Amino acid sequence: MAFVTAILGCKEKDTGMRSVAEGQNAEVLNKPFVWEGANLYFLLTDRFNNGDISNDVNFDRTKKTGKLRGFEGGDIKGITQKIKEGYFTDLGINAIWMTPIVEQIHGGTDEGTGVTYGYHGYWAKDWTKIDPNFGTTEDLHELVKEAHARGIRIVLDAVINHTGPVTEKDPVWPDEWVRTDKQCTYDNYENTVTCTLVANLPDIRTESNSNVELPPQLVEKWKKEGRYQQEVKELDEFFERTGYPRAPRFYIIKWLTDYITEFGVDGYRADTVKHTEAYVWEEFKTECDYAFSQYKKNNPERILDDNEFYLVGEVYNYGISSGKYFDYGDKKVNYYDDRFDEQINFEFKYNSKEMDYQTLYDRYSNILNTELDGFGVLNYLSSHDDGSPFDPLRKNPFEAANKLLLSPGTSQVYYGDESSRSLAIPNTEGDATLRSFMNWDSISKRPRTKDVLTHWQKLGKFRAKHPAIGAGTHQMITAQPYYFYRSYQNDNFRDLVVIGLELEKGSKTIDVSKIFKEGDLLHEAYSGVTSEVLNGKLVIDSPFNIVLLEKNF
């Protein structure tokens, strides 16, 4: 992919990265980063923060849209702005997942009461270029640099399954690239994979191993943009190195992994995984790993740690109860081994409604330390396309934080979870109700929102400091009052925390004799109180009903 301008434009900006990192978020940066215990923030690039109003309209996307179905102005610069302001650091976020930033179809589709544009990022027109509504290559370089300086990883979103819809501005790709005739019925493996998800969403022929030429619309586009020769040269080099046939999926895999080699992003969330053959994701993982190793080889001064490239899959309706397998009805598929590090856990929101804290925590700890040992799940309570979130009206934001941020597994904070952004917007259709613009005004003006945000911040920062919370082993101490501990060990690093929930406000006496030593100084992170272990017990006097204990080294 021809990113020459971005490379030349970012050299001077990258100097001094280590000195920035050394001065920021030191407690978190000094702890090992563990994906299985990460606190990941998921946002719609277009709906989070508008950092550059000059890029709000492109390609004459000016038709009247349905409510929340057009571009709203959010962009990469807006995300970077919040990174620099410390918003994510204050929230204890150590990874950010952004919806796809590749160039979207130029036209819109007619759905319901108005036009819909590709503001969400899942309607690709050209995988090799960032959509100008989202920003530029220079913008993405800066975002990754600023995030990494604060110990925050960047996860992009990979779509291999389909192109964007066909519109008057976006002709269908050639037949050897896509199918448009068979729509999925989802009643077995074949009718979930080799078909279009919905009408007018051309399905990439990911099963094909036939050599295909570039789509003529891409050839014409690249020639107009003056980069056709460079793109073809890079494709020739890719296919020569790998020996893959010039089949549709390998073109897209090449284009997506270029973002790793060039920008140093740390992971991909893979879209519509169960609608694509399982072996495709094994091939994708192989190329992601290679691209990440090349980035580290070419940029030794920018290496954050020894973690491998992170790959999390969206196998829609997968739940942790299924272990490694997803059941299509007529076939079970293992999407973990040789494919994904983690899968999105669609079951978590239901478990959170049905289970008390101890049942939830204990169950997840047991599964993650047995059937899924070495792998993980990405837990969430709300998202961009789940019409049944845990708390759509945001009536229980404190419980939501306790369930999500203190559960074993990786936590996915959907933008606005921490600020009670409503998920029930009047006069919207379908997913649009989940995708309003981030409620910054509420954060700055409403005391209730500030209280909610403060709670998410305290739990999030505690989680970010302690891999034991997400990646450790859970053990209850007492049921009434409810105290538990989490422990985690990896080589010479050991992490141990004690947490209490739904406690009495005021003075609390905790028996920690089996966990900490006599005379240990323990810091209670929620209130900021420090106390000494005496006679095996700890006394904490705070006006809160929660305790977050860590050893005061």
Side-chain angles (χ1 to χ4, degrees):
M1 220 178 292
F3 289 128
V4 177
T5 303
I7 297 172
L8 296 175
C10 75
K11 290 290 186 184
E12 293 186 1
K13 295 179 182 178
D14 286 335
T15 60
M17 175 178 168
R18 289 193 181 276
S19 63
V20 174
E22 288 166 3
Q24 303 256 359
N25 206 14
E27 286 185 296
V28 173
L29 290 170
N30 289 332
K31 298 286 180 72
F33 176 81
V34 181
W35 278 109
E36 292 87 349
N39 191 21
L40 181 149
Y41 194 93
F42 170 37
L43 56 85
L44 265 72
T45 308
D46 177 68
R47 298 293 163 86
F48 184 66
N49 188 40
N50 192 343
D52 183 1
I53 60 173
S54 71
N55 65 14
D56 287 358
V57 179
N58 292 281
F59 308 123
D60 194 32
R61 295 171 173 145
T62 56
K63 290 183 178 180
K64 182 177 176 56
T65 67
K67 188 169 183 178
L68 292 176
R69 289 190 169 273
F71 286 88
E72 297 277 329
D75 48 35
I76 296 170
K77 278 187 176 179
I79 302 168
T80 305
Q81 182 184 85
K82 292 299 177 181
I83 292 173
K84 289 180 177 180
E85 290 176 3
Y87 182 78
F88 296 105
T89 299
D90 290 343
L91 197 56
I93 296 300
N94 46 24
I96 298 172
W97 155 27
M98 305 155 52
T99 47
I101 56 174
V102 303
E103 186 171 325
Q104 298 295 285
I105 60 171
H106 294 182
T109 63
D110 290 311
E111 297 179 6
T113 58
V115 168
T116 300
Y117 287 116
Y119 68 89
H120 43 66
Y122 295 97
W123 290 351
K125 182 183 182 73
D126 185 349
W127 275 269
T128 71
K129 191 175 181 183
I130 296 174
D131 194 290
N133 265 82
F134 303 138
T136 65
T137 54
E138 290 87 351
D139 294 340
L140 186 56
H141 270 291
E142 184 183 17
L143 181 145
V144 174
K145 181 198 73 169
E146 294 294 341
H148 283 178
R150 292 158 178 82
I152 300 171
R153 276 70 179 168
I154 297 299
V155 178
L156 297 184
D157 206 316
V159 181
I160 300 178
N161 174 257
H162 55 270
T163 69
V166 179
T167 78
E168 74 283 356
K169 295 182 179 180
D170 308 285
V172 67
W173 288 35
D175 284 345
E176 61 266 28
W177 272 85
V178 300
R179 66 174 59 80
T180 58
D181 54 340
K182 180 184 177 184
Q183 194 166 326
C184 297
T185 55
Y186 308 107
D187 51 351
N188 59 32
Y189 180 82
E190 177 72 14
N191 293 336
T192 303
V193 174
T194 315
C195 47
T196 66
L197 296 179
V198 294
N200 195 25
L201 195 65
D203 184 65
I204 296 290
R205 295 186 185 275
T206 48
E207 79 285 2
S208 171
N209 286 312
S210 299
N211 293 328
V212 297
E213 298 296 325
L214 283 165
Q217 53 265 61
L218 271 189
V219 173
E220 181 183 2
K221 181 177 184 292
W222 290 350
K223 286 182 176 179
K224 286 182 179 178
E225 294 169 353
R227 57 191 181 97
Y228 172 73
Q229 296 296 334
Q230 179 65 25
E231 294 294 345
V232 170
K233 176 177 177 292
E234 291 183 16
L235 284 166
D236 289 343
E237 291 171 350
F238 172 80
F239 286 112
E240 182 177 354
R241 175 182 67 80
T242 61
Y244 293 136
R246 290 178 178 255
R249 68 183 183 277
F250 292 116
Y251 282 92
I252 300 173
I253 287 173
K254 186 272 180 192
W255 295 332
L256 287 170
T257 53
D258 280 346
Y259 288 90
I260 306 170
T261 311
E262 170 56 27
F263 298 97
V265 298
D266 306 279
Y268 261 122
R269 174 266 191 184
D271 180 68
T272 51
V273 166
K274 75 175 184 179
H275 302 290
T276 302
E277 295 77 13
Y279 58 77
V280 173
W281 302 112
E282 188 171 348
E283 295 162 344
F284 185 52
K285 177 176 171 53
T286 297
E287 292 310 312
C288 285
D289 289 345
Y290 175 81
F292 201 45
S293 68
Q294 288 300 108
Y295 176 81
K296 288 186 172 183
K297 178 182 176 182
N298 296 332
N299 302 276
E301 76 286 355
R302 301 183 194 176
I303 296 175
L304 288 178
D305 54 36
D306 295 330
N307 276 308
E308 296 181 355
F309 192 78
Y310 174 69
L311 206 59
V312 57
E314 182 223 19
V315 180
Y316 207 88
N317 283 334
Y318 164 82
I320 191 172
S321 296
S322 300
K324 287 187 176 181
Y325 289 88
F326 180 81
D327 190 352
Y328 284 86
D330 63 336
K331 182 177 183 179
K332 290 184 178 181
V333 177
N334 179 348
Y335 281 108
Y336 277 102
D337 292 330
D338 301 319
R339 296 179 179 93
F340 293 99
D341 302 293
E342 298 190 344
Q343 291 189 59
I344 295 174
N345 178 24
F346 289 81
E347 184 181 324
F348 184 76
K349 61 175 184 175
Y350 299 116
N351 296 156
S352 296
K353 288 180 180 179
E354 298 163 357
M355 299 177 181
D356 60 26
Y357 291 122
Q358 171 58 18
T359 306
L360 178 70
Y361 299 158
D362 189 58
R363 181 168 182 271
Y364 273 59
S365 178
N366 288 336
I367 295 175
L368 289 168
N369 285 287
T370 55
E371 296 172 71
L372 292 180
D373 187 32
F375 299 96
V377 291
L378 182 58
N379 299 322
Y380 77 91
L381 292 175
S382 62
S383 78
H384 63 321
D385 59 4
D386 190 326
S388 302
F390 172 75
D391 183 22
L393 299 180
R394 307 298 195 180
K395 293 181 178 180
N396 302 298
F398 296 93
E399 179 190 357
N402 295 347
K403 290 279 177 72
L404 180 65
L405 299 179
L406 299 179
S407 281
T410 305
S411 54
Q412 174 201 298
V413 179
Y414 184 47
Y415 79 107
D417 280 351
E418 76 280 17
S419 57
S420 296
R421 179 180 64 85
S422 177
L423 301 176
I425 307 298
N427 303 316
T428 55
E429 293 187 11
D431 295 339
T433 192
L434 308 169
R435 304 173 178 180
S436 59
F437 208 85
M438 180 63 178
N439 57 333
W440 297 113
D441 284 347
S442 182
I443 290 175
S444 63
K445 296 176 181 178
R446 295 188 62 192
R448 165 71 172 175
T449 305
K450 292 179 183 178
D451 290 343
V452 170
L453 177 60
T454 297
H455 183 69
W456 282 77
Q457 288 173 332
K458 288 182 177 182
L459 266 60
K461 282 189 282 190
F462 192 68
R463 180 186 177 91
K465 284 175 61 180
H466 296 288
I469 295 174
T473 301
H474 173 85
Q475 181 65 53
M476 184 174 70
I477 301 172
T478 58
Q480 291 293 335
Y482 181 51
Y483 286 102
F484 62 88
Y485 72 85
R486 298 275 170 78
S487 58
Y488 173 82
Q489 186 162 357
N490 188 1
D491 295 329
N492 294 325
F493 175 77
R494 185 168 184 265
D495 190 30
L496 181 66
V497 296
V498 171
I499 298 172
L501 296 175
E502 297 185 331
L503 310 173
E504 293 293 329
K505 296 179 180 179
S507 182
K508 312 167 212 2
T509 300
I510 314 158
D511 185 345
V512 294
S513 58
K514 295 181 180 179
I515 305 161
F516 295 110
K517 297 177 181 178
E518 188 73 9
D520 276 352
L521 283 179
L522 302 182
H523 177 248
E524 199 288 290
Y526 201 90
S527 64
V529 172
T530 297
S531 187
E532 182 180 357
V533 179
L534 298 173
N535 300 317
K537 295 182 179 180
L538 193 77
V539 177
I540 295 292
D541 193 351
S542 76
F544 306 109
N545 65 355
I546 183 171
V547 162
L548 307 174
L549 286 176
E550 58 191 355
K551 191 169 181 180
N552 195 6
F553 293 100

